[in-house]
């Protein structure tokens, strides 16, 4: 019982940290966009976390963790209900160290993140009602079904696909949908002039910086909680690799952007940090510190080139969500197949965790952490996410429209969608 309590307290702390990340996402998005759309972005972020939790309770959790199923889709009923032991733990092999209720809440925080990624990419020109409908369908049904393929012990899990905390299952799931949404939505007015991308500066870079630092802190829970226990060695190793990858991503992105554009771009520095975090998330528990630095550094370099490429093909992503979450999510997932269990090995070629325990024989590791299973996983999620998000958003576009009018976009979504101003001008009435 003492171990259960310790594990459960750690998991609840991590749950709180992941919840705190939603404030980071909100700060980052409003900081990198214009003042006139602040209320709209904040409204979407609050909608995502509230409705996302309700949907995950009613259908998502039981879609994602259905127990024995065909490996592609399973469902155990509406609402939270499971075979519990006297201690309140779920009576399933994958969850022995913490309660069923903690499991639900921790996983529920992850579910909302996928839609938050899309929110930033479509900022400043998407109607709010279609976005809300998309969120309900994508978070309520698509994300948990896709998640069951690995974390619910589905067909990708049996193939040996490995994604520790969600480089693909969370970040790429949101990134693929963001890519589709941006393509169907079109660029903001003024983003491209004579075919060349124009900078549309955000209105509050200090707020965006605070958002990134909050997200970095939240990643302690995102990755640290994914150990699924309070094991001191495993959690500490995970947090070390997470931090080193973030630092490497930021530094390399800053250097590369300075070399390419001859200016010290803070926003590229910030997105490099996020890219490093996304990149290490798939294998944070099994990488050595040196491998984590390499993974983060490559992610930071990818950020700079991805942002430039996305601009060149006229996909308008105000916050760099596609580069950060999709491109670096893919890289991080494939990196597991390249670096494997680089934390430690013994003379027999067996792979060890931070405690020195054997976690895989050489042959098992070759089967489960080879490059091909990682590639299969990336492709599988690309298919389900592209097809489902296209079907949802294209249908909304043809039925109710997804783009605000030119006047609404120029004057701001806050005034037209919400009838509010994020920064009202307080003045004393003169008599």
């Amino acid at each position: 019982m003492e171990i259960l309590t310790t594990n459960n307290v750690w998991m609840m702390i991590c749950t709180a940290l992941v919840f705190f990340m939603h404030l980071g996402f909100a700060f980052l998005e409003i900081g990198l966009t214009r003042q006139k759309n602040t209320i709209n972005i904040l409204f979407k972020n609050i909608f995502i976390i509230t409705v996302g939790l309700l949907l995950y309770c009613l259908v998502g959790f039981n879609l994602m963790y259905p127990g024995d199923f065909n490996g592609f889709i399973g469902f155990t009923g509406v609402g939270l209900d499971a075979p519990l032991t006297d201690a309140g733990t779920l009576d399933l092999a994958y969850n022995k160290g913490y309660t069923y209720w903690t499991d639900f809440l921790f996983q529920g925080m992850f579910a909302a993140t996928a839609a938050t990624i899309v929110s930033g990419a479509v900022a400043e020109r998407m109607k709010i009602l279609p976005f809300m409908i998309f969120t309900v369908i994508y978070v309520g049904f698509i994300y948990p079904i896709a998640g069951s393929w690995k974390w619910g012990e589905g067909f990708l899990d049996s193939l040996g696909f490995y994604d520790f905390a969600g480089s693909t299952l969370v970040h790429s799931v949101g990134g693929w949908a963001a890519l589709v949404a941006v393509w169907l939505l079109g660029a903001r007015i003024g983003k491209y002039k004579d075919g060349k991308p124009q900078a549309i500066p955000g209105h509050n870079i200090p707020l965006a910086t605070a958002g990134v630092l909050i997200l970095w802190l939240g990643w302690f829970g995102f990755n640290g909680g994914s150990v699924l226990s309070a094991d001191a060695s495993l959690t500490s190793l995970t947090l070390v690799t997470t931090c080193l990858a973030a630092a490497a991503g930021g530094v390399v992105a800053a250097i590369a952007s300075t070399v390419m554009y001859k200016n010290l771009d803070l926003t590229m520095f910030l997105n490099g940090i996020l890219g490093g975090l996304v990149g290490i998330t798939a294998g944070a528990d099994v990488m050595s510190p040196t491998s984590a630095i390499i993974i983060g550094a490559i992610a930071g370099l990818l950020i700079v080139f991805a942002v430039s490429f996305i601009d060149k093909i006229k996909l308008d992503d105000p916050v760099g969500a596609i580069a950060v979450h999709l491109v670096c999510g893919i890289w991080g997932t494939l990196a597991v197949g390249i670096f494997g269990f680089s934390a430690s090995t013994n003379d027999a070629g067996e792979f060890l965790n931070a405690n020195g325990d054997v976690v895989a024989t050489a042959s098992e590791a070759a089967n489960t952490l080879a490059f091909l299973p990682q590639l299969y996983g990336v492709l599988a999620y690309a298919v389900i996410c592209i097809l489902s998000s296209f079907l949802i958003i294209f249908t909304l576009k043809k039925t109710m429209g997804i783009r605000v009018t030119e006047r609404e976009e120029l004057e701001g979504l806050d005034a037209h969608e919400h009838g509010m101003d994020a920064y009202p001008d307080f003045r004393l009435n003169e008599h």
Side-chain angles (χ1 to χ4, degrees), residues 245-261:
V251 169
V252 170
I255 293 172
S257 63
T258 300
V259 171
M260 289 178 64
Y261 303 112

Side-chain angles (χ1 to χ4, degrees), residues 99-117:
T99 72
Y100 170 70
W101 312 112
T102 297
D103 191 25
F104 157 73
L105 203 56
F106 181 69
Q107 301 296 343
M109 294 303 164
F110 277 59
T113 302
T116 303
I117 293 166

Side-chain angles (χ1 to χ4, degrees), residues 59 62-66 68-77 145 148:
V59 294
N62 288 338
L63 278 171
M64 195 161 177
Y65 298 98
D68 293 331
F69 72 120
N70 59 21
F72 292 90
I73 185 170
F75 187 57
T76 54
I145 291 172
S148 73

Side-chain angles (χ1 to χ4, degrees), residues 156-384:
L156 284 176
D157 186 61
S158 64
L159 287 177
F161 175 68
Y162 193 87
D163 190 351
F164 170 63
S167 286
T168 284
L169 271 76
V170 177
H171 296 284
S172 288
V173 166
W176 286 117
L179 178 66
V180 171
V182 167
W183 176 56
L184 289 174
L185 196 58
R188 291 168 292 173
I189 296 171
K191 176 61 181 177
Y192 296 98
K193 184 177 181 180
D194 298 327
K196 296 182 179 179
Q198 307 296 311
I200 301 180
H203 83 281
N204 197 324
I205 300 303
L207 204 59
T209 304
V212 170
L213 292 175
I214 289 172
L215 286 168
W216 191 344
L217 173 63
W219 238 283
F220 279 63
F222 202 89
N223 286 359
S226 294
V227 174
L228 304 182
S229 78
D231 183 288
S233 297
L234 290 177
T235 54
S236 56
L237 172 67
T238 298
L239 298 186
V240 166
T241 57
T242 297
C243 281
L244 289 175
V251 169
V252 170
I255 293 172
S257 63
T258 300
V259 171
M260 289 178 64
Y261 303 112
K262 305 298 187 291
N263 69 314
L264 297 169
D265 188 338
L266 176 60
T267 60
M268 200 67 80
F269 205 158
L270 297 175
N271 272 335
I273 291 171
L274 295 178
L277 288 166
V278 171
I280 196 60
T281 294
D285 63 326
V286 295
M287 296 299 174
S288 69
T290 302
S291 295
I293 291 172
I294 295 171
I295 291 169
I298 294 174
L301 194 62
L302 286 172
I303 285 291
V304 178
F305 289 104
V307 168
S308 175
F309 177 74
I310 290 166
D311 264 347
K312 285 181 180 178
I313 60 175
K314 295 184 173 59
L315 291 176
D316 182 14
D317 179 0
V319 302
I322 298 171
V324 169
H325 298 281
L326 178 57
V327 174
C328 291
I330 292 172
W331 157 240
T333 304
L334 297 178
V336 176
I338 297 171
F339 292 92
F341 275 93
S342 59
S344 182
T345 58
N346 60 20
D347 293 337
E350 296 171 323
F351 291 87
L352 312 176
N353 64 20
N355 287 329
D357 301 322
V358 175
V359 293
T361 65
S363 60
E364 287 172 340
N367 290 332
T368 60
L369 291 175
F371 185 81
L372 284 180
Q374 298 304 104
L375 181 60
Y376 296 153
V378 168
L379 294 175
Y381 281 100
V383 170
I384 186 175

Side-chain angles (χ1 to χ4, degrees), residues 32-52:
L32 293 181
T33 52
R34 289 167 290 185
Q35 176 180 327
K36 62 186 178 181
N37 300 309
T38 300
I39 294 291
N40 182 260
I41 290 170
L42 292 175
F43 188 97
K44 288 190 295 182
N45 277 267
I46 297 299
F47 176 83
I48 287 167
I49 186 63
T50 53
V51 172

Side-chain angles (χ1 to χ4, degrees), residues 55 131-144 388 392 396:
L55 288 168
F131 177 81
M132 292 163 71
I133 294 172
F134 164 80
T135 297
V136 168
I137 300 172
Y138 204 69
V139 173
F141 300 95
I142 305 303
Y143 168 78
S388 61
I392 298 166
L396 291 170

